[in-house]
Every structure is written in C-alpha cells, then in structure tokens.
Amino acid sequence: MTATVARPSTRVPDVCERRRGRIARFRGRWRVALRYGARDARRATGRTALVAVMVMLPVAVGTFAATTLWSTRSTPERVVATELGPLLQASVQYGGCAPIVQTPDDRSGGAACQEGKANLAAVQDAISHALPSADTLTLGLTAQVEVRGHALQRSVTGMQTDLTVPDVAAAFPLRAGRLPRAGEVALDGAMAGDLGVGLGDRVAVRLSAASADAGNAPASAVVVGLLAPNAPADTYALLPAAGPLQTPATFDVTDFWSAQPRWLVSGNSPVTWDDVLAVNKVGGVVLSRSVTLDPPSADSAPPRRGPSTNGLSQLVSTWSAFAAVVIVGLLEAVLLVGPAFAVGARRSARSLALVVAAGGSTRTVRAIVLGTGVVIGAFASVAGVALGLAVAAVVVTRTQGGLRFLSVPWLAVVAVAVVGVVLAAAAAWLPARGASKADVVAVLSGRRGDTAHRRWPAVLGSVLAATGFGGAIVAGLTAQPLLIAAGAVMGEVGLVLACGGIVVLLGRAAARLPLTWRFAFRDAARHRSRTSPAIAAVIVACAGATAGMVYSDAQSLHDLRYIMPLAAPDVLVLSTTADTGLTSAQIAAAGDAVRAVVPAAGPLQPVHVLRFASDDVGVQVDPALGLSTWAVTGTPVRGPVVDDGSLVDMLGIPDPGAARDALRSGRAVVQTGAARHGHVPLVVTHMDPATGTATADAPVTVPAVGVGDPAGPSNANLPVLPSAVAATLGGQVVVGGLVAHVPHTVGIAAQETLRATLADRVGTTDAGSGIVDVAFQDVAHHYGTPQWLVTLLILGSAVLLALAAAWIAAALAAAETRPDLATLTSVGATPSTRKRIVAAQAGTIATIGAVVGSVSGVALGAAFVLPHRIAGTAVDPTWTVAIPWAALGATLLVVPLLAVTASWLATRSGLVLTRRATG
C-alpha cells in the first residue's frame, strides 16, 4: 500500500505582517522595496542605464512637445508681452466711428466702422481725455513701406514712433544692434537677410508706391538694429519720430496704404475697463494690459463675435488619432522596458526566493521588483523633464521669425513625469508578477522556477487583433475617426496578447530547421514570458512604422496631386491681364527690366493666349464631364494658352512629348480623363460682374489628347490649344505673358523688385498697379518635410526600437541558456555554436515581429487613409492607399539582418562549463 503525502508548501506563512495594521504593512513593504530597488539599480549600472534611457526619452519628448505647444498659445500674457512690451499700459487705434464696441481682448467686436476721414488732432485729444490723466500718449504711425537695399526691395509693415520714451523703446526688443535715431532704421532680421543688408548698411525707405499721400520721396536710412520676432503691430521696419512718414492732419481708416495712427499709452496708472469703455465712446479700440490680464466679468463685457468653439465631434475627430498614437507609443515603451526588468528579476531570482523563505509575502516580492522600476522611473523622469525643458528653451528662443516667449506648463510637465514613473512601474509589473509566482524550492535548488502558461491570452489576442484591425478598416470606410483609433489600439493590444501563441506555433513547426534555429524557436516557445514582450515590442514598432509610412506616402501623393505648377521648375513667369496683350515695345521693356533685376535669367519666350473683348470671358473644359476642380483651371497667363508645342517644356505640361505631338497635329491638350474618344468639349463662359452669375455658350467639341494623371497633379496652363482650335472659339490670339529659365531661386525681394521695375518701365493700370505681374515656379516638391526624410526617420526609429527589443531579449536568452549551451559544448558542439544560437534567438524575435508588424501596419495605415478618400458621399481621388514597397521590404530585410549580425558580433564563442543542476 502506497501512501500519498501532499507536497509541503514552498511559501512561508506571512504571520508577522498579519499582526501589523494595513498601513504599517504597506509602509514597511515599500520601504524595503524602494531600498532594494535603489541598491539593485546601483549594482546593475548597465541595465539601469538602459531602462533609464528608454524611460527618459518619451518623458523628454513629452515635456518638449508640451512646452513648445504651450509657448505657441496666444495667452493674455503673451499678447501683452508682444504688443505692449514690459512697460506700456495700453495701445489705442481709431475704429472709424464713435461709439464703438469691443471685447476686453481687442480681438473681436472692435471692427472699424469705416465712416471716412477723421481729424488726427481731435481724435488724439478725445482719447487723451478718456484715459487716466497720469498716463501719456505717444503717437505712432503704421503703414506699408517700401524698403530698398542695394539692389532689391520689399514692401512690409513699418512703424514710426518716438523711441526716446523709455516705455515705448522697451516694447521693441532687438536681436542685434540698437534702436534707431534720426536717419536710421531697425529691420526684421529675416527680411534684412532677404534684402541682403545687415547692420551698417544703408537702405531707402518710403511709403508704398500704392499710397496717394504726398511727401512720398524715399528717405535714406542706416540699418542700426535687427528686430526680434513678433514685434508689436507686426512691425518689420521700425523708424524714429523723425522718420520719412509725414504725420497727416486727417486720416482714413479705409485706406490700407496710407499711414494710420496708433497711440501707445505709458505711465503708472493702469487702463481699466471703465477707461476702455470711455475710449470706445470716442471711437478708439484699446488693448489694455490691465484688462487683458484681468478681464471684467461676462456681465460687463459684450459677447464675443466670431465662430463658435468646436463641438465634441470635432474634438474627437481631431484628437482621436493623436490619442491612439500616444497610447500605442506608451505600450511600445512598456514592452521595450519590460524585458530589461525581466532580466533583473531573473538574475535576482535567488535573492527574491530567500526573501520568501525568510517570511516575505508574494506582495513583498512584487513590491521589490516594482520598486526597482519606481526608483529608475523617478530618476529617468526627472532627467527627461530637464532634457525636454532645455531643448524646448533652445528651440523656442532661437526660432527665427516665430516663437520668442518660453512658457512652461508645469501641471502638464508634472503629469508627463508621473507618466514616466508609471510607465517604468507598468513595465516591471509582469516580471514582478512572474517573480512572485516562482517556485521557491526550485529556484533555491538551482532549477528554473517558471510557472505554466495558459492558452487563453493567445486566443483572446487573436480575436482582439482580427476585430480591431477589421473594425478600423470598416471605420475608415465610414469615416469614423474615434472607431479607427479604438480599432487601432485594440488591434495592437490583441497582437501583444497573441505573441505567446504565435511563438508556440512556430516552435512546434521548427522540427526541420537547422540546430541553431530549432534551438532558438523552441527556447522562445519554452520561455514565452521572456520572448513575448520583446516580439510584441518589435511588432508594435514595425506596425507603427509601416502605418506611418503608408499614411505618409498617401499624404505625400495627395500633396503632389494638388500641386498646380505655373510652369516648369526654375521658370520665371511674367503675365498681363490686358485684353490686347503685350506690344513689342512692352516686351522689350520687360526684357530690360528682367536683365536689370535677374541678370541670370535666360531669354524671354512669348506665351500666346486666346483673349476676348471682355475680361469676364474665359474658356474651360465642359464641367458636365464631372471632373474635379484641380483638373479644370485657367492659366496664370490668362488665356487659354495657344501653342504649337514649342513651350510645353517650359510651361511644365505633363507628358511633354505627347503634348508636343498633339499640338503639332492640331489637337488640344487637356488633363487625362477630360478627353473622351479623342475629343473634348470646350465651353466659353461669360461672367456678369454686376450679378456675379455666369452663362455659358454651347460646348464646342474639338480633338484632344489627355496628359498626366487624371487625379493630378495638374498644370495651371491646361488646356493648351493649337491655333486651329483657338480659331473655332473666336477671340484674338495675343501675347499674354513671357517665360524665362532662371538657374537659381528668385526670392520674394527679387520678385517685388522686379514687379516695381516692370511698373516703372512697362506701365501701370488705372488702379496704379503694374500691368505686368511676376511669378516664379520654384523646384516642385512635396509640402513640408521631404518624403525621403520622413520615410528615413520613421524607418530608422522602427529599426532602432526593434533592435533594442531583440537585443535585450537575446541578452536574457544568452544568460538563461548558458547551462544548455554548456551541455552542447560538452557533447561536441563547436565554439561558434553559441554565437550562432544567440544570433538565431535575436533573429527569431526580429523576424516574427517584423513580418507580423508590417502586415498589420498596412491595414492600420489604410484605416487612417480611407476617411480622407471617402468624405461624405463624394470620393476624393487624390487620396489613395499607397504601400511603400521599398521601405516595407527594407523593414523586413534590415531588422532581422541587423539583429542577427549585431548579436553574432557581440557574443563570445568561448564558454566556461558549469555543473548542471539535477533533481
């Protein structure tokens, strides 16, 4: 007869803890945990540094983003600092009539009444009497001024005021130099660079040529200062009181080009809301320091005008995708840091087992492992906050033409720091839970104390992944941004849970693989608690990168399709709206002007266009074809263009060879999709300027050839007509513009200078503007950051994250499989076998993660692209799901290859044999 005796418990009853109160037990447990965690962090400096960097980086990024975004907000403090400086009490503008209504912030409700001219002295006297008697008014004049350097000129907003008043002078900070005196000027730094002038150079300043004011002769001034960004009243040229602007006896607020008064209020008495109301009664609009920083109650202030704030649906649409990215990013950080804590818990398994054997509870063991995460997370969060604030301070204060005021959202920064600590603790949770469930007897006897794994996480994860990604695609087709974000998060969480099942399936299918890969797959399946987080981290990184590249490619293709080039890259375009076009004398004068301002320009080529007797007549492809507006536009050289094929290259027409052959054979050139069966209907439209209504003649069907992509990009010169087709539409063929190649970019200053020179030499219209306008087609590129740089950043980030996860897990595997490798060595394995096995372990993690992550990332990226394509009932053909096959292939190839190569190089082939534990 055999007696069965129950196995004695491996855990020691927690008798001592039960005798104490709950708070005392909690305090004692965490005192030990934090002390142990600090000691463990000091002992394992390499692992601590790795975890600290992984926690510090997202905290630094979050702090930088929060501080930068907060510094761009138009807060009352920033408005006051920008418009009034540190000392001014208020600024006052005349609204055009009296009384006037404004809101406390001077941003709404204070629109000018525009009732004609006003007497400057009378208005100033009325405003002075309405303000506190202790304050002083300083008159400033703002106007559009022309600043001409050595060869170029710019038309900008200038301000002339008495800079000897200390409060006024303090409102205009400088990047370099000093404030101007008589015969001097201070310019915006970016504008000075565009003009090619610096400190000490001499410029000419005058009112804009469009102004009808007397005394408009240019005045010479020396540049003595460069203004900091965000100067008051958007000032780009600051002039002293003795500047070239003449103080008018009367002024008209409706005349944009004339000098407008702006009074700056200085003194010791704040301008209160009652003072603002008093100034409103005489027609003044006030920006008060006191009222802006401490606005009156809603009952005493008029309601704000303008659009209402965004509703809940708009907020959800705007922030749901961002929230999904943040959640997935935090999940990625947890998965990356988790294996590092698993390494620590595995190496500390004996110490933790001794704690249990000495009377510690499972809660104490969990707290010890979590304490290591809290200690490292707190240190890394503080360092991340400091790094983020330092970088934000440099970016905000050094941004050219943009930010100037650094504002730190301390509440948000503290929240980010707390998130960093929670992130580290969350990453340590699973290792802590596993350590608390380890078999104490097995660990103390030298055997593995792993517990059995369950199947339900893999099943649940597979269901969540399929449901999440499928739901995201459906939500994309129905344009539901919140559901897309929820599906994305659900799908990623599902993949994380399913990693264990994926590893087990591949481990069972590894029987026919070589020894090293068979060992790696089966070791990964046996130790899923170690490999699953690492594979999940690679999956999330590759999925996020693939989704980002899919969306980035779709966005880039959309932007490319919306490009409407005026001509080929690096082509200067001169155009005229005159019905009779340009005469030979005007063409010659235009050529002289171009050679004077842009001497590198090539010879001017005339562009012939079809003109009618009235400016309100145009030609377009028949709208009944249902083409989108970007495929049916007029030409900047108002036409349409009439050409024999000689200008298709300079005009930037798509498929220039086909377009040239078509024009020479007497066929029109239109956007692909407009021509049906080799013909296209053209419509002559007439616009009634009195009623704003358009009438159209009967369509004229002409032979045509389509060029380019029907979804875009288009060309602003389409359609292009041959002479025979133009004759069927009526009108007259004239020279409507000129084009020339320029081997360098023609900047804003050069364009404005050329425009003014053309007005002087060619002539002006009745309104005073030049009859010839100027445009320059810069090198065609995608909007924003170049596409190759975006792809490189996304792909590089994914590779680094994936390699970090693979290497961490490989290091843990190498430490844990040392006895197995020693056994293989003792039975005849070569010294390089260990290197191959460690490399195979890293390659297993990287390959599984890259493949699964890339496939799921394509679905995720498509889900975020589809809402743009399907807007309501219409389909926007400029949005398509573009799969970046080259980048996707690089991900699938580079990540495993680098993981295998680096692990191979970092692993030593030699191994010290150790005695295997038995029992």
Side-chain angles (χ1 to χ4, degrees):
M1 182 175 180
T2 302
T4 302
V5 180
R7 183 177 181 179
S9 175
T10 59
R11 305 188 187 282
V12 178
D14 187 13
V15 178
C16 297
E17 281 207 2
R18 292 179 182 176
R19 293 177 180 175
R20 298 186 296 168
R22 182 177 301 176
I23 297 178
R25 292 198 304 269
F26 179 83
R27 185 171 59 249
R29 183 187 312 129
W30 278 98
R31 182 169 61 248
V32 172
L34 294 177
R35 187 187 308 150
Y36 184 96
R39 186 176 302 170
D40 184 65
R42 290 194 301 269
R43 185 185 301 116
T45 55
R47 187 176 70 249
T48 300
L50 178 64
V51 175
V53 169
M54 291 183 178
V55 175
M56 182 180 65
L57 289 179
V59 172
V61 171
T63 302
F64 169 79
T67 304
T68 305
L69 292 176
W70 195 261
S71 298
T72 62
R73 294 174 65 247
S74 181
T75 61
E77 292 78 12
R78 183 166 293 108
V79 170
V80 167
T82 301
E83 297 296 333
L84 301 178
L87 301 175
L88 289 176
Q89 294 292 350
S91 67
V92 184
Q93 291 179 280
Y94 186 65
C97 68
I100 198 169
V101 179
Q102 74 163 86
T103 53
D105 60 0
D106 181 34
R107 299 303 179 196
S108 63
C113 299
Q114 300 181 352
E115 289 188 353
K117 293 187 176 182
N119 183 274
L120 178 63
V123 171
Q124 179 169 323
D125 185 64
I127 293 174
S128 178
H129 282 84
L131 291 171
S133 58
D135 290 339
T136 304
L137 282 182
T138 301
L139 176 64
L141 298 175
T142 61
Q144 287 293 116
V145 297
E146 290 180 358
V147 182
R148 185 175 185 88
H150 304 299
L152 304 177
Q153 71 181 48
R154 284 284 304 273
S155 177
V156 296
T157 305
M159 186 169 186
Q160 179 175 298
T161 188
D162 188 358
L163 298 175
T164 62
V165 179
D167 292 5
V168 174
F172 295 91
L174 298 172
R175 286 173 44 198
R178 59 175 176 82
L179 292 174
R181 305 187 187 106
E184 298 173 343
V185 66
L187 301 178
D188 175 76
M191 188 200 75
D194 194 17
L195 289 174
V197 298
L199 296 177
D201 291 334
R202 188 171 293 276
V203 296
V205 183
R206 69 169 185 174
L207 268 175
S208 176
S211 174
D213 289 354
N216 200 22
S220 178
V222 179
V223 180
V224 295
L226 298 179
L227 294 171
N230 300 327
D234 294 328
T235 301
Y236 285 82
L238 180 62
L239 301 163
L245 303 183
Q246 302 295 322
T247 303
T250 61
F251 63 94
D252 186 353
V253 296
T254 64
D255 186 358
F256 173 77
W257 300 103
S258 65
Q260 298 292 326
R262 183 185 185 93
W263 291 274
L264 306 177
V265 184
S266 57
N268 297 323
S269 298
V271 178
T272 64
W273 179 240
D274 291 335
D275 298 327
V276 171
L277 295 178
V279 176
N280 292 160
K281 291 180 180 179
V282 297
V285 182
V286 186
L287 175 64
S288 166
R289 178 186 299 273
S290 174
V291 174
T292 303
L293 297 179
D294 186 16
S297 62
D299 297 336
S300 59
R304 292 182 60 92
R305 298 178 183 174
S308 60
T309 57
N310 293 333
L312 179 60
S313 60
Q314 181 65 28
L315 292 176
V316 168
S317 176
T318 302
W319 292 102
S320 57
F322 177 76
V325 172
V326 171
I327 293 173
V328 173
L330 293 177
L331 177 63
E332 171 70 13
V334 170
L335 294 172
L336 280 173
V337 179
F341 283 115
V343 172
R346 185 72 66 183
R347 292 182 176 178
S348 303
R350 184 173 180 82
S351 300
L352 297 175
L354 289 174
V355 170
V356 176
S361 65
T362 57
R363 291 183 178 181
T364 303
V365 174
R366 283 199 300 267
I368 288 175
V369 181
L370 287 174
T372 305
V374 171
V375 170
I376 299 177
F379 170 77
S381 294
V382 172
V385 166
L387 178 61
L389 290 178
V391 176
V394 173
V395 171
V396 170
T397 56
R398 299 292 182 181
T399 299
Q400 296 291 333
L403 310 176
R404 194 177 78 203
F405 306 102
L406 176 66
S407 300
V408 181
W410 291 110
L411 184 61
V413 169
V414 171
V416 170
V418 171
V419 168
V421 178
V422 173
L423 186 150
W429 170 252
L430 287 179
R433 187 171 178 270
S436 66
K437 291 184 177 183
D439 190 329
V440 177
V441 174
V443 173
L444 291 178
S445 63
R447 294 179 282 115
R448 295 186 177 98
D450 293 338
T451 57
H453 297 278
R454 300 179 179 178
R455 297 181 179 179
W456 68 264
V459 176
L460 177 61
S462 301
V463 173
L464 286 178
T467 304
F469 289 122
I473 295 293
V474 174
L477 293 172
T478 56
Q480 299 292 330
L482 182 59
L483 296 181
I484 295 175
V489 174
M490 182 186 298
E492 295 297 338
V493 172
L495 288 178
V496 171
L497 293 176
C499 281
I502 296 174
V503 172
V504 171
L505 290 177
L506 293 176
R508 292 174 179 175
R512 298 182 179 276
L513 294 177
L515 170 64
T516 54
W517 287 97
R518 185 167 66 252
F519 185 98
F521 274 100
R522 289 181 173 175
D523 179 74
R526 185 166 60 249
H527 301 290
R528 296 195 293 276
S529 61
R530 178 210 330 133
T531 55
S532 293
I535 293 176
V538 179
I539 288 176
V540 173
C542 292
T546 304
M549 289 187 293
V550 169
Y551 187 86
S552 176
D553 273 28
Q555 175 74 62
S556 179
L557 185 58
H558 164 75
D559 293 342
L560 176 64
R561 287 168 171 170
Y562 256 107
I563 290 177
M564 185 70 70
L566 309 174
D570 297 329
V571 169
L572 181 69
V573 181
L574 309 183
S575 61
T576 180
T577 59
D579 295 336
T580 56
L582 296 174
T583 64
S584 300
Q586 290 174 329
I587 293 174
D592 294 338
V594 170
R595 283 188 291 273
V597 179
V598 191
L604 291 174
Q605 303 291 326
V607 180
H608 293 87
V609 298
L610 181 62
R611 291 282 169 86
F612 296 85
S614 172
D615 288 342
D616 302 311
V617 179
V619 177
Q620 66 176 12
V621 176
D622 187 1
L625 292 175
L627 296 178
S628 301
T629 55
W630 58 81
V632 187
T633 57
T635 169
V637 184
R638 188 173 65 82
V641 172
V642 179
D643 187 49
D644 60 358
S646 58
L647 289 181
V648 292
D649 291 307
M650 295 190 69
L651 294 178
I653 305 298
D655 301 335
R660 188 180 300 108
D661 294 339
L663 291 170
R664 289 174 179 174
S665 63
R667 291 174 292 174
V669 177
V670 296
Q671 188 81 8
T672 297
R676 303 290 180 84
H677 307 294
H679 290 78
V680 66
L682 300 178
V683 177
V684 178
T685 59
H686 305 264
M687 178 66 68
D688 187 348
T691 62
T693 58
T695 59
D697 295 343
V700 178
T701 301
V702 300
V705 169
V707 295
D709 189 333
S714 183
N715 185 280
N717 297 290
L718 294 177
V720 181
L721 310 178
S723 300
V725 171
T728 63
L729 298 174
Q732 181 183 7
V733 178
V734 299
V735 177
L738 305 166
V739 291
H741 276 292
V742 182
H744 58 78
T745 298
V746 180
I748 297 177
Q751 293 182 41
E752 290 191 7
T753 304
L754 179 57
R755 191 174 291 111
T757 306
L758 288 168
D760 293 338
R761 298 191 181 188
V762 181
T764 59
T765 63
D766 296 337
S769 60
I771 63 173
V772 178
D773 199 7
V774 178
F776 179 74
Q777 180 61 55
D778 207 340
V779 177
H781 60 276
H782 303 315
Y783 300 133
T785 307
Q787 176 64 19
W788 64 268
L789 180 57
V790 173
T791 302
L792 183 62
L793 290 175
I794 295 175
L795 185 60
S797 301
V799 169
L800 290 177
L801 292 174
L803 292 181
W807 290 337
I808 292 172
L812 176 57
E816 287 192 330
T817 57
R818 180 182 294 271
D820 299 324
L821 296 176
T823 301
L824 289 176
T825 303
S826 65
V827 296
T830 62
S832 63
T833 301
R834 181 169 183 260
K835 293 173 67 72
R836 294 201 304 269
I837 288 178
V838 174
Q841 288 170 329
T844 298
I845 295 170
T847 302
I848 297 174
V851 173
V852 177
S854 298
V855 173
S856 61
V858 171
L860 188 59
F864 281 100
V865 172
L866 289 175
H868 297 285
R869 179 175 176 82
I870 304 172
T873 58
V875 175
D876 186 350
T878 61
W879 281 98
T880 54
V881 177
I883 300 177
W885 294 109
L888 191 61
T891 303
L892 296 175
L893 179 64
V894 170
V895 172
L897 184 61
L898 286 180
V900 169
T901 303
S903 299
W904 169 274
L905 295 176
T907 304
R908 293 182 301 176
S909 58
L911 181 67
V912 178
L913 299 181
T914 59
R915 184 176 65 85
R916 294 297 305 267
T918 60

